[in-house]
Amino acid sequence: ANAGTGKTVTVSGLTTGDYAASAGTNFSNYLLPTSISGAVGTINPAPVSSGPTVYNITGRLVGAISKVYDGSNFALLSPANYSLTGFVGSDNAVVTKSVGSYIDANVGTSKLVTVSLSRSDFAAVGTTNLANYVLPSSVSGMTGVISPRPVTISSVATQSVYNGYSTYDSLSSAARTTIIGLVGSDAIANVKQSASAKGIAQAGSFAVTPSDAVFQSGLSTNYSLTYVPSTHFVDKASLVVTAKSFDKTYDGNAYVGGNGVNYRGFVANELSSVLSGTLAYAGTSQGAVNAGSYAITPTGLSSNNYQINYQSGSLNIGKASLQVLANNASKPFMGPESELTYMVSGVVAADKTKQVLSGKLLRAPGNEVGLYTISQGSLSAGVNYALNFTSGTFEIVPGVLSGPS
């Protein structure tokens, strides 16, 4: 039984049944041996152990190893994610390494996660002597889960002014967006913006909703996109409506209405026909009779697309021309004064002379025989007339002397 080579090996007790005949061989023609031996044996020495038996430990990853997409393939683990087998008895260990690698950075489930390990990444449990074990240099498992990262794409509220040609689509396409949540070098090249209305944009507001983001870099499947609409405001265009001024001469009649208006601010070749309402006039001019300056204020118009600003024009009522001609007069020397009279022309039909003129004429002082000028004196025509006065002549003639009879 000892180790050695060339050792005799014997097989005994052979019978005919221990032999197998070749084709065509008849054992009855032969005398077969009952034993066979030969010096062909080798017995190797048994190995001698110099220390304790070393056991191989195998490991795998268990449980979901999850994160939200962050553009990297880093995986965060806990000791519970490691399963180790092969320990003897109550021996055990935990893995303290908390960082591994997903097979790639993209969103998915059942992703391969791998962790490279060194002996320092293992902590013995209780009295376990880790020197008795061959510890794994890496572990892996199809346990990775990377969830889509939330990204908010918001349309930015904007403001424009009605111009008669911009469409809802053109205004919404020009609106900006803010994008919150992208990571790393991921970028969005374009976002579709849709308006809630069609046609030429009218003054007011409408909704702009973003959608269909196109990625310039990165994968859209790595994100959960939320679109937030905004409200776009179209302000009314400014329209100035100015009353045309009007000049007239006092005629005693009350002024009513106006002299038309000028428009400034229409866009896209629009005309006053786009306005609603009926043009009317107000202000101090309405019902004005006397000479002076009054305001003609337009009013009565409205518009959905224009902010109407009214500006007043002027009603200027000029004084009527009144002609006054002093009548010549005379008296005898030392005689009583004659009444100073005049003739009037230019009084409007609505007035009467006594309603127009007040005061009296005045002659130059003096009582000697001669000629004296008759002047306007205190004669006045009031606020509505411009008095044009033509003077007259007052003559004192020699008196007639009468003798005793």
Side-chain angles (χ1 to χ4, degrees):
N2 296 320
T5 60
K7 298 179 76 64
T8 300
V9 177
T10 300
V11 180
S12 59
L14 297 174
T15 66
T16 301
D18 294 320
Y19 293 89
S22 299
T25 301
N26 185 353
F27 282 155
S28 60
N29 296 323
Y30 298 94
L31 179 63
L32 299 175
T34 59
S35 66
I36 298 174
S37 64
V40 295
T42 300
I43 300 176
N44 294 319
V48 178
S49 176
S50 60
T53 301
V54 177
Y55 298 92
N56 288 318
I57 302 301
T58 58
R60 62 188 179 91
L61 296 177
V62 297
I65 301 173
S66 303
K67 73 171 184 176
V68 174
Y69 171 76
D70 61 6
S72 75
N73 66 339
F74 293 123
L76 295 178
L77 301 93
S78 70
N81 291 126
Y82 296 92
S83 175
L84 302 175
T85 58
F87 287 103
V88 176
S90 62
D91 284 357
N92 206 349
V94 295
V95 181
T96 59
K97 190 171 184 178
S98 61
V99 177
S101 299
Y102 293 94
I103 191 170
D104 58 48
N106 297 321
V107 165
T109 59
S110 299
K111 298 179 72 71
L112 177 64
V113 178
T114 302
V115 184
S116 297
L117 299 172
S118 65
R119 293 192 70 86
S120 62
D121 295 320
F122 294 85
V125 174
T127 60
T128 302
N129 184 356
L130 295 181
N132 293 327
Y133 297 94
V134 177
L135 301 174
S137 61
S138 68
V139 293
S140 61
M142 306 294 288
T143 58
V145 177
I146 299 179
S147 302
R149 185 177 190 84
V151 166
T152 301
I153 301 176
S154 301
S155 179
V156 177
T158 54
Q159 196 163 10
S160 61
V161 177
Y162 172 75
N163 58 23
Y165 62 85
S166 291
T167 64
Y168 290 106
D169 285 342
S170 65
L171 292 177
S172 63
S173 296
R176 297 184 299 107
T177 57
T178 59
I179 302 173
I180 299 175
L182 293 178
V183 296
S185 61
D186 292 351
I188 289 176
N190 183 57
V191 177
K192 181 181 178 181
Q193 301 249 51
S194 302
S196 60
K198 296 295 181 183
I200 300 298
Q202 306 295 300
S205 63
F206 63 95
V208 177
T209 303
S211 64
D212 301 336
V214 177
F215 275 72
Q216 178 179 331
S217 57
L219 300 176
S220 62
T221 52
N222 287 330
Y223 294 95
S224 174
L225 303 180
T226 298
Y227 296 99
V228 179
S230 68
T231 301
H232 184 99
F233 296 93
V234 179
D235 294 335
K236 292 184 176 183
S238 177
L239 178 67
V240 178
V241 180
T242 303
K244 296 178 181 179
S245 294
F246 182 70
D247 296 335
K248 63 171 283 189
T249 300
Y250 171 75
D251 59 7
N253 297 319
Y255 182 81
V256 178
N259 188 37
V261 294
N262 291 318
Y263 297 96
R264 185 178 76 251
F266 279 122
V267 298
N269 297 318
E270 291 184 335
L271 302 173
S272 60
S273 57
V274 302
L275 303 178
S276 301
T278 302
L279 179 63
Y281 300 92
T284 56
S285 61
Q286 302 307 296
V289 176
N290 295 327
S293 183
Y294 304 90
I296 304 174
T297 304
T299 186
L301 299 175
S302 61
S303 172
N304 292 330
N305 291 322
Y306 290 95
Q307 180 62 51
I308 300 175
N309 301 302
Y310 294 107
Q311 293 187 355
S312 297
S314 296
L315 168 65
N316 300 302
I317 302 178
K319 293 183 178 183
S321 179
L322 187 68
Q323 307 298 323
V324 176
L325 173 63
N327 294 321
N328 293 329
S330 64
K331 76 164 189 168
F333 177 72
M334 297 300 289
E337 288 289 326
S338 301
E339 181 181 1
L340 302 179
T341 61
Y342 50 83
M343 292 187 297
V344 179
S345 62
V347 176
V348 300
D351 291 340
K352 295 180 179 179
T353 301
K354 67 178 181 180
Q355 295 174 322
V356 174
L357 295 172
S358 61
K360 59 182 181 179
L361 301 179
L362 179 68
R363 76 170 179 85
N367 293 306
E368 301 297 326
V369 172
L371 299 175
Y372 298 88
T373 299
I374 301 174
S375 63
Q376 182 175 338
S378 61
L379 190 66
S380 171
V383 298
N384 293 321
Y385 291 92
L387 194 154
N388 298 305
F389 180 77
T390 301
S391 62
T393 300
F394 187 88
E395 182 180 9
I396 299 178
V397 298
V400 177
L401 296 178
S402 59
S405 57

Coordinates of all heavy atoms in Angstrom, one line a residue, residues 67-142:
K67 N -31.9 54.2 -9.1 CA -31.7 55.6 -9.0 C -32.4 56.3 -10.2 O -32.9 55.7 -11.1 CB -30.2 55.9 -9.2 CG -29.6 55.8 -10.6 CD -28.2 56.3 -10.7 CE -27.6 56.2 -12.1 NZ -26.3 56.8 -12.2
V68 N -32.5 57.6 -10.1 CA -33.1 58.4 -11.2 C -31.9 58.8 -12.1 O -30.8 59.1 -11.7 CB -33.7 59.7 -10.6 CG1 -34.2 60.6 -11.7 CG2 -34.9 59.3 -9.7
Y69 N -32.2 58.8 -13.4 CA -31.2 59.1 -14.4 C -30.4 60.4 -14.1 O -31.0 61.4 -13.8 CB -31.8 59.2 -15.8 CG -30.9 59.7 -16.8 CD1 -29.9 58.9 -17.4 CD2 -30.9 61.0 -17.3 CE1 -29.0 59.4 -18.4 CE2 -30.1 61.5 -18.3 CZ -29.1 60.7 -18.8 OH -28.3 61.2 -19.8
D70 N -29.1 60.3 -14.0 CA -28.3 61.5 -13.8 C -27.1 61.6 -14.8 O -26.2 62.4 -14.6 CB -27.7 61.4 -12.3 CG -26.8 60.2 -12.1 OD1 -26.5 59.4 -13.1 OD2 -26.4 59.9 -11.0
G71 N -27.1 60.8 -15.8 CA -26.1 61.0 -16.9 C -24.9 60.2 -16.6 O -24.0 60.1 -17.5
S72 N -24.8 59.5 -15.5 CA -23.6 58.7 -15.1 C -24.0 57.2 -15.0 O -25.2 56.9 -14.8 CB -22.9 59.2 -13.8 OG -23.7 58.8 -12.7
N73 N -23.0 56.3 -14.9 CA -23.3 54.9 -14.7 C -23.0 54.5 -13.3 O -22.9 53.3 -13.0 CB -22.6 54.0 -15.7 CG -21.1 54.0 -15.5 OD1 -20.5 55.0 -14.9 ND2 -20.4 53.0 -16.0
F74 N -22.8 55.5 -12.4 CA -22.5 55.1 -11.0 C -23.7 54.5 -10.3 O -24.8 55.0 -10.5 CB -22.1 56.4 -10.2 CG -20.7 56.9 -10.6 CD1 -20.6 58.2 -11.1 CD2 -19.6 56.1 -10.6 CE1 -19.4 58.7 -11.5 CE2 -18.4 56.6 -11.0 CZ -18.3 57.9 -11.4
A75 N -23.5 53.4 -9.6 CA -24.6 52.8 -8.8 C -24.2 52.8 -7.4 O -23.1 52.6 -6.9 CB -24.7 51.3 -9.3
L76 N -25.2 53.2 -6.6 CA -25.1 53.2 -5.1 C -25.7 52.0 -4.5 O -26.9 51.7 -4.8 CB -25.7 54.5 -4.6 CG -25.1 55.8 -5.0 CD1 -25.8 57.0 -4.4 CD2 -23.6 55.9 -4.6
L77 N -25.0 51.3 -3.6 CA -25.4 50.1 -3.1 C -25.4 50.1 -1.5 O -24.7 51.0 -1.0 CB -24.5 48.9 -3.5 CG -24.5 48.6 -5.0 CD1 -23.3 49.3 -5.6 CD2 -24.4 47.1 -5.3
S78 N -26.1 49.2 -0.9 CA -26.0 49.0 0.5 C -25.6 47.6 0.8 O -25.6 46.7 -0.1 CB -27.4 49.3 1.2 OG -28.3 48.3 0.8
P79 N -25.2 47.3 2.0 CA -24.8 45.9 2.3 C -25.8 44.9 2.0 O -25.5 43.7 1.7 CB -24.5 46.0 3.8 CG -24.0 47.4 4.1 CD -24.9 48.2 3.2
A80 N -27.1 45.3 2.1 CA -28.2 44.4 1.8 C -28.2 43.9 0.3 O -28.9 43.0 0.0 CB -29.5 45.0 2.1
N81 N -27.5 44.7 -0.6 CA -27.5 44.3 -2.0 C -26.5 43.2 -2.3 O -26.4 42.7 -3.5 CB -27.2 45.5 -2.8 CG -28.3 46.6 -2.8 OD1 -28.0 47.7 -2.5 ND2 -29.5 46.2 -3.2
Y82 N -25.7 42.7 -1.3 CA -24.7 41.7 -1.6 C -25.2 40.4 -0.9 O -25.7 40.3 0.2 CB -23.4 42.1 -0.9 CG -22.8 43.3 -1.6 CD1 -23.0 44.6 -1.0 CD2 -21.9 43.2 -2.7 CE1 -22.4 45.7 -1.6 CE2 -21.3 44.3 -3.2 CZ -21.6 45.6 -2.7 OH -21.0 46.7 -3.2
S83 N -25.1 39.3 -1.7 CA -25.4 37.9 -1.2 C -24.1 37.1 -1.4 O -23.6 36.9 -2.5 CB -26.5 37.3 -2.0 OG -26.7 36.0 -1.5
L84 N -23.5 36.6 -0.2 CA -22.3 35.8 -0.2 C -22.6 34.4 0.2 O -23.4 34.2 1.2 CB -21.3 36.4 0.7 CG -20.9 37.9 0.4 CD1 -19.9 38.4 1.5 CD2 -20.2 38.0 -0.9
T85 N -22.1 33.4 -0.5 CA -22.3 32.0 -0.1 C -21.0 31.3 -0.1 O -20.0 31.7 -0.8 CB -23.2 31.3 -1.2 OG1 -22.6 31.4 -2.4 CG2 -24.6 31.9 -1.1
G86 N -20.9 30.2 0.7 CA -19.7 29.4 0.8 C -19.0 29.5 2.2 O -18.0 28.8 2.5
F87 N -19.6 30.2 3.2 CA -19.0 30.3 4.5 C -19.4 29.0 5.3 O -20.4 28.4 5.1 CB -19.6 31.5 5.3 CG -18.9 32.8 4.8 CD1 -19.7 33.7 4.0 CD2 -17.6 33.2 5.2 CE1 -19.1 34.9 3.5 CE2 -17.1 34.4 4.7 CZ -17.8 35.2 3.9
V88 N -18.5 28.6 6.2 CA -18.7 27.4 7.0 C -19.3 27.8 8.3 O -18.9 28.8 8.9 CB -17.3 26.7 7.2 CG1 -17.5 25.5 8.2 CG2 -16.7 26.3 5.9
G89 N -20.3 27.0 8.7 CA -20.9 27.2 10.0 C -21.5 28.6 10.1 O -22.3 29.0 9.3
S90 N -21.2 29.2 11.2 CA -21.8 30.6 11.5 C -20.9 31.7 10.9 O -21.2 32.9 11.2 CB -21.9 30.7 13.0 OG -20.6 30.7 13.7
D91 N -19.8 31.3 10.2 CA -19.0 32.4 9.6 C -19.8 33.2 8.6 O -20.7 32.6 7.9 CB -17.8 31.8 8.9 CG -16.7 31.3 9.9 OD1 -16.9 31.5 11.1 OD2 -15.7 30.7 9.5
N92 N -19.5 34.4 8.5 CA -20.1 35.3 7.5 C -19.3 36.6 7.4 O -18.4 36.9 8.2 CB -21.6 35.6 7.9 CG -22.5 35.9 6.7 OD1 -21.9 36.1 5.6 ND2 -23.8 36.0 6.9
A93 N -19.7 37.4 6.4 CA -19.1 38.7 6.2 C -20.1 39.6 5.5 O -21.0 39.1 4.9 CB -17.8 38.5 5.3
V94 N -19.8 40.9 5.6 CA -20.6 41.9 4.9 C -19.7 42.6 4.0 O -18.5 42.8 4.2 CB -21.4 42.8 5.8 CG1 -22.4 42.1 6.6 CG2 -20.4 43.6 6.7
V95 N -20.3 43.1 2.8 CA -19.5 44.0 1.9 C -19.8 45.4 2.2 O -21.0 45.8 2.2 CB -19.8 43.6 0.4 CG1 -19.0 44.5 -0.5 CG2 -19.6 42.1 0.2
T96 N -18.8 46.2 2.4 CA -18.9 47.6 2.8 C -18.9 48.6 1.6 O -19.2 49.8 1.8 CB -17.9 48.0 3.8 OG1 -16.6 47.8 3.2 CG2 -18.0 47.2 5.1
K97 N -18.5 48.1 0.5 CA -18.3 49.0 -0.7 C -19.7 49.5 -1.2 O -20.6 48.6 -1.3 CB -17.6 48.4 -1.8 CG -17.2 49.3 -2.9 CD -16.3 48.7 -3.9 CE -15.8 49.7 -5.0 NZ -14.9 49.2 -6.0
S98 N -19.9 50.8 -1.4 CA -21.2 51.3 -1.7 C -21.3 51.8 -3.1 O -22.4 52.3 -3.5 CB -21.6 52.5 -0.7 OG -20.6 53.5 -0.9
V99 N -20.3 51.7 -3.9 CA -20.3 52.2 -5.3 C -20.0 51.1 -6.3 O -19.0 50.4 -6.1 CB -19.3 53.4 -5.5 CG1 -19.3 53.8 -6.9 CG2 -19.6 54.5 -4.5
G100 N -20.9 51.0 -7.3 CA -20.6 50.1 -8.4 C -20.9 50.8 -9.7 O -21.0 52.0 -9.8
S101 N -21.1 50.0 -10.7 CA -21.3 50.5 -12.1 C -22.5 49.8 -12.8 O -22.5 48.6 -12.8 CB -20.1 50.4 -12.9 OG -19.0 51.1 -12.3
Y102 N -23.4 50.7 -13.3 CA -24.4 50.1 -14.2 C -23.7 49.8 -15.6 O -22.7 50.5 -15.9 CB -25.5 51.1 -14.5 CG -26.4 51.4 -13.3 CD1 -26.1 52.4 -12.4 CD2 -27.5 50.6 -13.0 CE1 -26.9 52.7 -11.3 CE2 -28.3 50.8 -11.9 CZ -28.0 51.9 -11.1 OH -28.8 52.2 -10.0
I103 N -24.2 49.0 -16.4 CA -23.6 48.6 -17.7 C -23.6 49.9 -18.6 O -22.7 50.0 -19.4 CB -24.4 47.5 -18.3 CG1 -23.6 47.0 -19.6 CG2 -25.8 47.9 -18.7 CD1 -24.1 45.7 -20.2
D104 N -24.6 50.8 -18.4 CA -24.5 52.1 -19.1 C -25.4 53.0 -18.3 O -25.9 52.7 -17.2 CB -25.1 52.0 -20.5 CG -26.5 51.4 -20.6 OD1 -27.4 51.9 -19.9 OD2 -26.7 50.5 -21.4
A105 N -25.4 54.3 -18.7 CA -26.1 55.4 -17.9 C -27.6 55.5 -18.2 O -28.3 56.3 -17.6 CB -25.4 56.7 -18.2
N106 N -28.1 54.8 -19.2 CA -29.4 55.1 -19.7 C -30.5 54.4 -18.8 O -30.3 53.4 -18.1 CB -29.6 54.6 -21.1 CG -28.7 55.4 -22.1 OD1 -28.5 56.6 -21.9 ND2 -28.0 54.7 -23.0
V107 N -31.7 54.9 -19.0 CA -32.9 54.4 -18.3 C -33.2 53.0 -18.7 O -33.1 52.6 -19.8 CB -34.1 55.3 -18.6 CG1 -35.4 54.6 -18.1 CG2 -34.0 56.7 -17.9
G108 N -33.6 52.1 -17.7 CA -33.9 50.8 -18.0 C -34.1 50.0 -16.7 O -33.8 50.5 -15.6
T109 N -34.6 48.7 -16.9 CA -34.8 47.8 -15.7 C -34.0 46.6 -16.0 O -33.5 46.3 -17.1 CB -36.3 47.5 -15.5 OG1 -36.7 46.8 -16.7 CG2 -37.1 48.7 -15.2
S110 N -33.7 45.8 -14.9 CA -32.9 44.5 -15.0 C -31.6 44.8 -15.7 O -31.1 44.0 -16.5 CB -33.7 43.5 -15.8 OG -34.9 43.1 -15.1
K111 N -31.0 45.9 -15.3 CA -29.7 46.3 -15.9 C -28.6 45.6 -15.1 O -28.7 45.5 -13.9 CB -29.5 47.8 -15.8 CG -30.6 48.6 -16.7 CD -30.4 50.1 -16.6 CE -29.1 50.5 -17.3 NZ -29.3 50.5 -18.8
L112 N -27.5 45.2 -15.8 CA -26.4 44.6 -15.2 C -25.6 45.7 -14.3 O -25.3 46.8 -14.8 CB -25.4 44.1 -16.2 CG -24.1 43.4 -15.7 CD1 -24.4 42.2 -14.8 CD2 -23.2 43.1 -16.9
V113 N -25.4 45.3 -13.1 CA -24.6 46.1 -12.2 C -23.4 45.3 -11.7 O -23.6 44.1 -11.3 CB -25.4 46.6 -10.9 CG1 -24.6 47.4 -10.0 CG2 -26.7 47.4 -11.4
T114 N -22.3 45.9 -11.8 CA -21.0 45.2 -11.4 C -20.3 46.0 -10.4 O -20.2 47.2 -10.5 CB -20.1 45.0 -12.6 OG1 -20.8 44.3 -13.6 CG2 -18.9 44.3 -12.3
V115 N -19.7 45.3 -9.4 CA -18.9 45.9 -8.3 C -17.6 45.2 -8.3 O -17.5 44.0 -8.1 CB -19.6 45.9 -7.0 CG1 -18.8 46.6 -5.9 CG2 -21.0 46.4 -7.1
S116 N -16.5 45.9 -8.4 CA -15.1 45.4 -8.2 C -14.8 45.5 -6.8 O -15.0 46.5 -6.1 CB -14.1 46.2 -9.1 OG -14.4 46.0 -10.5
L117 N -14.2 44.4 -6.2 CA -14.0 44.3 -4.8 C -12.5 43.9 -4.5 O -11.8 43.3 -5.3 CB -14.9 43.2 -4.2 CG -16.4 43.4 -4.3 CD1 -17.1 42.2 -3.8 CD2 -16.8 44.7 -3.5
S118 N -12.1 44.4 -3.3 CA -10.8 44.0 -2.8 C -11.1 43.5 -1.4 O -12.2 43.6 -0.8 CB -9.8 45.2 -2.7 OG -10.3 46.2 -1.8
R119 N -10.1 42.8 -0.8 CA -10.3 42.2 0.6 C -10.7 43.3 1.6 O -11.5 43.0 2.5 CB -9.1 41.5 1.0 CG -8.7 40.2 0.2 CD -7.7 39.4 0.9 NE -8.2 38.7 2.1 CZ -8.8 37.6 2.1 NH1 -9.0 36.9 0.9 NH2 -9.2 37.0 3.2
S120 N -10.3 44.5 1.4 CA -10.6 45.6 2.4 C -12.1 46.0 2.3 O -12.6 46.7 3.2 CB -9.7 46.8 2.1 OG -10.0 47.3 0.8
D121 N -12.8 45.5 1.2 CA -14.2 45.8 1.1 C -15.1 44.9 1.9 O -16.3 45.0 1.9 CB -14.6 45.8 -0.4 CG -14.0 46.9 -1.2 OD1 -13.8 48.0 -0.6 OD2 -13.6 46.6 -2.3
F122 N -14.5 43.9 2.6 CA -15.3 42.9 3.3 C -15.0 43.1 4.8 O -13.9 43.4 5.3 CB -14.8 41.5 3.0 CG -15.1 41.1 1.5 CD1 -14.3 41.4 0.5 CD2 -16.3 40.4 1.3 CE1 -14.6 41.0 -0.8 CE2 -16.6 40.0 -0.1 CZ -15.7 40.3 -1.1
A123 N -16.1 43.0 5.6 CA -16.0 43.1 7.0 C -16.5 41.8 7.6 O -17.6 41.3 7.3 CB -16.8 44.2 7.6
A124 N -15.7 41.2 8.4 CA -16.0 39.9 9.0 C -17.1 40.0 10.1 O -17.2 41.1 10.8 CB -14.8 39.3 9.7
V125 N -18.0 39.0 10.1 CA -19.1 39.0 11.1 C -18.7 38.1 12.3 O -18.2 36.9 12.0 CB -20.4 38.5 10.5 CG1 -21.5 38.3 11.5 CG2 -20.9 39.4 9.4
G126 N -18.8 38.6 13.5 CA -18.4 37.8 14.6 C -17.0 37.4 14.7 O -16.1 38.2 14.4
T127 N -16.7 36.1 14.9 CA -15.3 35.6 15.0 C -14.8 35.0 13.7 O -13.8 34.3 13.6 CB -15.3 34.5 16.1 OG1 -16.2 33.4 15.7 CG2 -15.7 35.0 17.4
T128 N -15.5 35.4 12.6 CA -15.1 34.9 11.3 C -13.7 35.3 11.0 O -13.3 36.5 11.1 CB -16.0 35.3 10.2 OG1 -17.4 34.9 10.5 CG2 -15.6 34.8 8.8
N129 N -12.8 34.3 10.6 CA -11.5 34.6 10.1 C -11.5 34.6 8.6 O -11.5 33.5 8.0 CB -10.5 33.6 10.7 CG -9.0 34.0 10.3 OD1 -8.8 34.9 9.5 ND2 -8.1 33.2 10.8
L130 N -11.4 35.8 7.9 CA -11.5 35.8 6.5 C -10.3 35.3 5.8 O -10.3 35.0 4.6 CB -11.8 37.3 6.0 CG -13.1 37.9 6.5 CD1 -13.2 39.3 5.9 CD2 -14.3 37.0 6.0
A131 N -9.2 35.0 6.6 CA -8.0 34.4 6.0 C -8.3 32.9 5.5 O -7.6 32.4 4.7 CB -6.9 34.4 7.0
N132 N -9.4 32.4 6.1 CA -9.7 31.0 5.7 C -10.5 30.9 4.4 O -11.0 29.8 4.0 CB -10.6 30.3 6.8 CG -9.7 30.1 8.1 OD1 -8.5 29.9 8.0 ND2 -10.4 30.2 9.2
Y133 N -10.8 32.1 3.8 CA -11.6 32.1 2.6 C -11.0 32.9 1.4 O -10.2 33.8 1.6 CB -13.0 32.8 3.0 CG -13.7 32.1 4.1 CD1 -13.6 32.4 5.4 CD2 -14.6 31.0 3.7 CE1 -14.3 31.8 6.4 CE2 -15.3 30.3 4.7 CZ -15.1 30.7 6.0 OH -15.8 30.0 7.0
V134 N -11.3 32.4 0.2 CA -11.0 33.1 -1.0 C -12.2 34.0 -1.3 O -13.3 33.4 -1.7 CB -10.6 32.2 -2.1 CG1 -10.4 32.9 -3.4 CG2 -9.4 31.3 -1.8
L135 N -12.0 35.3 -1.2 CA -13.1 36.2 -1.4 C -13.2 36.6 -2.8 O -12.2 36.8 -3.5 CB -13.0 37.4 -0.5 CG -12.9 37.1 1.0 CD1 -12.5 38.4 1.8 CD2 -14.2 36.5 1.5
P136 N -14.5 36.9 -3.4 CA -14.6 37.3 -4.8 C -14.0 38.7 -5.1 O -14.1 39.6 -4.2 CB -16.1 37.2 -5.0 CG -16.7 37.5 -3.6 CD -15.8 36.8 -2.6
S137 N -13.4 38.8 -6.2 CA -12.9 40.1 -6.6 C -13.9 41.0 -7.3 O -13.7 42.2 -7.6 CB -11.7 39.9 -7.6 OG -12.1 39.2 -8.7
S138 N -15.1 40.4 -7.7 CA -16.2 41.2 -8.2 C -17.4 40.4 -8.1 O -17.4 39.2 -8.0 CB -15.9 41.5 -9.7 OG -16.0 40.3 -10.5
V139 N -18.5 41.2 -8.0 CA -19.9 40.6 -8.0 C -20.7 41.4 -9.0 O -20.5 42.5 -9.3 CB -20.5 40.6 -6.6 CG1 -19.8 39.7 -5.6 CG2 -20.6 42.0 -6.0
S140 N -21.8 40.7 -9.4 CA -22.7 41.4 -10.4 C -24.1 40.8 -10.3 O -24.3 39.8 -9.6 CB -22.1 41.3 -11.8 OG -22.1 39.9 -12.2
G141 N -25.0 41.5 -10.9 CA -26.4 41.0 -11.0 C -27.2 41.9 -11.9 O -26.9 43.1 -12.1
M142 N -28.3 41.3 -12.4 CA -29.2 42.0 -13.3 C -30.2 42.7 -12.5 O -31.4 42.5 -12.6 CB -29.8 41.1 -14.3 CG -28.8 40.3 -15.1 SD -27.8 41.3 -16.2 CE -29.0 41.7 -17.5

